[in-house]
Amino acid sequence: MVRYRLTPWWVKVIVIFLASRVVTTIILLAFASIQGINPWGGAHPDYLQFAAIWDGNWYKIIAIDGYPPKLMLDAQGHVDENAWAFLPAYPFICRGIMALTGLSFNVVGLFVTVAFALAAALVFYKLLEPRLGSSTALFSVVLFCFAPLSPILQVDYAESMQLLFLAVALLYLQRRQYWMMLPFVIFMSFTKPSGLAFALALGIHIIYRWVVRARDPFPPAQIAAAIVAAAVSAVAGSAWPVIAGVATGMPDAYTATELAWRSSYVGWGALVPFQPWIQGVLWWSNWIGVHNPLLDYAALIVFVALFVVLLFTRPMKRIGADLRIWTASWGIYLLAVFFPQSSVFRLFMPMFPVLGALAQPKALAYRIGIVLLMIAGQIGWVYIDYWVNGYDWTPP
């Protein structure tokens, strides 16, 4: 016991992370062993091949060949699915390491993903420890590492990179070091679409700090720095669509590309803010055969209301205003732009501060039970979303 107390926090986090990777590797290998022929390869792939399917293949294409200078159109003249939907930070870092080492994308992509995932776990601890204490922060890391979507932290996806940059930006936000967060906000904005959501969070943060300035002073220098950070985040979050438009000669290249992925659900149409979730709830209720517009809208309202209630629960209040503001801002962003299909579970990952609320009960039975539920969730997620069973319309 004394030896455990003297163990550095970062060693504990690394041990938790490695233990979780053993569990997740066993799960992924089990599904790889029964994987049949699929669009990305043959049956029974090895781990590296299995980790490079779905979006991993798009990142591989970008790392090797870059982005297409011209967008392909389908028979109806609509933009087809293409690499511009995927931001460049992850594949370009992989490309640089590939050039330096001569290793294949499958090896480098997995290394980069896992390295960033470990770094994200370490920063997550530092993010929560001042508010929750060491023990609860460590259990929050356990939940982060064993979460149902944690297999994405060791396949060729950019989520772990996004989570690291986000965690560091939130850490500097907590410490009121607005200038320090700028490079991480920019890198995050070119890893996954997140700059606009972070700009919204900074805007709400500025308003909140101004309101509570009597008990939490908000000096002019910090006000200026926070406003600059919000502006930089907004510009960075808007940059990729502009770059895609200039590079392809099609101003709406990025938006049209993103809409290609939802066209098989709801057809083609313009991106109207906050419309996708209305379309989604109608589509899903119709798919399961219980279509009733009144009940559909009521279900969506209840879902949003429960999310709002969650933000004001005592456990969420304990993680601090900054993390709650970010969680709310990301929720608003998803409601504004994302169509809720099977990838929605993965897009909830930036709400990882919520795990700090789930980690607070100290009963041993609760903690063992929630970890077992999360491992079961991993199996369920890989089965439903990642493993390819014939014609698969549930991408991760």
Side-chain angles (χ1 to χ4, degrees):
M1 185 62 68
V2 173
R3 182 176 297 177
Y4 174 79
R5 288 199 301 267
L6 295 177
T7 302
W9 67 269
W10 55 270
V11 174
K12 297 174 184 177
V13 171
I14 291 173
V15 169
I16 292 169
F17 181 80
L18 293 177
S20 72
R21 293 312 90 199
V22 170
V23 173
T24 303
T25 299
I26 291 171
I27 293 171
L28 288 170
L29 284 174
F31 278 96
S33 70
I34 58 173
Q35 177 62 65
I37 297 174
N38 60 86
W40 303 278
H44 315 301
D46 62 28
Y47 188 93
L48 291 177
Q49 293 170 326
F50 194 56
I53 63 175
W54 293 108
D55 289 1
N57 189 63
W58 283 110
Y59 286 123
K60 182 177 182 178
I61 290 170
I62 297 166
I64 295 173
D65 298 323
Y67 291 91
K70 183 178 180 181
L71 300 184
M72 299 298 294
L73 306 180
D74 64 16
Q76 288 74 43
H78 299 300
V79 173
D80 207 349
E81 297 176 1
N82 67 86
W84 283 102
F86 303 91
L87 276 64
Y90 174 77
F92 281 10
I93 286 177
C94 291
R95 182 173 185 165
I97 297 174
M98 290 162 61
L100 290 173
T101 64
L103 296 172
S104 69
F105 173 82
N106 288 12
V107 174
V108 171
L110 187 60
F111 168 79
V112 170
T113 299
V114 174
F116 275 89
L118 173 57
L122 291 164
V123 177
F124 185 41
Y125 172 87
K126 297 300 291 182
L127 198 59
L128 293 179
E129 190 270 339
R131 302 284 311 188
L132 303 180
S134 178
S135 175
T136 302
L138 275 175
F139 190 63
S140 302
V141 172
V142 171
L143 298 185
F144 175 82
C145 293
F146 284 93
L149 272 291
S150 62
I152 212 77
L153 302 178
Q154 61 181 82
V155 296
D156 298 339
Y157 272 59
E159 267 65 22
S160 64
M161 184 179 290
Q162 177 196 26
L163 294 179
L164 173 62
F165 293 144
L166 172 60
V168 175
L170 290 173
L171 186 64
Y172 283 127
L173 181 65
Q174 282 186 333
R175 296 174 176 177
R176 311 306 191 225
Q177 295 176 296
Y178 302 105
W179 296 111
M180 294 295 293
M181 74 168 61
L182 292 184
F184 299 96
V185 170
I186 293 170
F187 283 127
M188 177 177 66
S189 299
F190 284 93
T191 302
K192 300 285 295 184
S194 45
L196 295 179
F198 203 80
L200 174 62
L202 284 170
I204 299 173
H205 167 86
I206 292 168
I207 294 171
Y208 172 80
R209 286 208 63 192
W210 178 257
V211 171
V212 301
R213 66 190 184 280
R215 68 173 187 268
D216 179 16
F218 198 17
Q222 287 192 5
I223 294 174
I227 291 173
V228 170
V232 169
S233 185
V235 171
S238 305
W240 187 245
V242 175
I243 292 170
V246 171
T248 63
M250 183 178 291
D252 65 341
Y254 177 73
T255 303
T257 297
E258 288 287 2
L259 291 174
W261 262 270
R262 72 181 64 169
S263 63
S264 58
Y265 294 91
V266 293
W268 286 92
L271 176 61
V272 179
F274 298 102
Q275 183 188 63
W277 279 78
I278 297 174
Q279 293 176 317
V281 72
L282 295 174
W283 188 92
W284 280 105
S285 64
N286 189 57
W287 182 79
I288 62 177
V290 293
H291 179 59
N292 182 311
L294 185 60
L295 292 178
D296 296 340
Y297 295 136
L300 181 58
I301 292 171
V302 169
F303 175 75
V304 174
L306 289 174
F307 175 69
V308 174
V309 170
L310 169 68
L311 294 173
F312 290 94
T313 59
R314 182 177 296 178
M316 282 296 292
K317 288 181 179 180
R318 283 196 65 199
I319 70 174
D322 296 320
L323 299 185
R324 291 165 63 210
I325 287 171
W326 162 252
T327 303
S329 299
W330 186 252
I332 293 169
Y333 176 73
L334 289 187
L335 283 172
V337 303
F338 186 72
F339 177 80
Q341 35 94 327
S342 55
S343 294
V344 73
F345 303 110
R346 174 167 54 90
L347 294 182
F348 284 141
M349 291 184 72
M351 292 182 179
F352 66 94
V354 172
L355 297 174
L358 292 177
Q360 290 174 34
K362 297 185 182 299
L364 181 61
Y366 169 82
R367 291 192 165 187
I368 293 174
I370 195 171
V371 171
L372 291 176
L373 282 175
M374 288 194 164
I375 293 173
Q378 289 188 42
I379 297 171
W381 180 79
V382 175
Y383 175 80
I384 294 170
D385 281 357
Y386 195 79
W387 177 59
V388 185
N389 185 16
Y391 173 72
D392 199 320
W393 55 277
T394 57

